[in-house]
């Protein structure tokens, strides 16, 4: 993490490069871009979570189907004997 002196040098360089009038506009646009990036990341994470939940539900229902098929075949074998 930069210290106080380093931050002052960075701020001075920014003022020299962009001018004092453009720094607030630059900071605002950077903040907006970061906000949009955050929203996009949250949407992707939510979609991934929904996919994971869908896979969990489908694998659970598939396991239940396999177990019920095994129970039915055991019952059929016992009743035919």
């Amino acid at each position: 993490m930069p210290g106080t002196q380093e931050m002052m040098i960075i701020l001075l360089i920014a003022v020299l490069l962009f001018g004092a009038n453009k720094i607030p506009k630059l900071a605002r646009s950077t903040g907006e871009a970061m906000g949009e990036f955050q929203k996009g990341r949250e949407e992707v994470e939510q979609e991934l979570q929904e996919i994971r939940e869908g896979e969990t539900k489908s694998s659970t229902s598939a396991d239940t189907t396999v177990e019920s098929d095994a129970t039915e075949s055991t019952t059929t074998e016992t009743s035919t004997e």
Side-chain angles (χ1 to χ4, degrees), residues 22-34:
K22 292 189 179 184
I23 290 179
K25 292 177 185 177
L26 180 64
R28 187 177 305 117
S29 64
T30 302
E32 289 174 358
M34 289 176 62

Side-chain angles (χ1 to χ4, degrees), residues 9-72:
I9 292 171
I10 291 170
L11 182 62
L12 178 66
I13 291 171
V15 169
L16 291 174
L17 288 176
F18 299 109
N21 295 335
K22 292 189 179 184
I23 290 179
K25 292 177 185 177
L26 180 64
R28 187 177 305 117
S29 64
T30 302
E32 289 174 358
M34 289 176 62
E36 289 295 320
F37 179 77
Q38 180 75 14
K39 287 179 187 176
R41 193 190 78 193
E42 288 173 357
E43 288 175 4
V44 169
E45 287 177 351
Q46 184 179 8
E47 289 177 13
L48 288 173
Q49 184 65 28
E50 290 173 0
I51 291 171
R52 289 181 191 137
E53 289 174 357
E55 289 176 354
T56 303
K57 289 178 183 178
S58 66
S59 67
T60 303
S61 64
D63 291 343
T64 305
T65 305
V66 170
E67 289 174 9
S68 64
D69 289 345
T71 306
E72 288 176 9

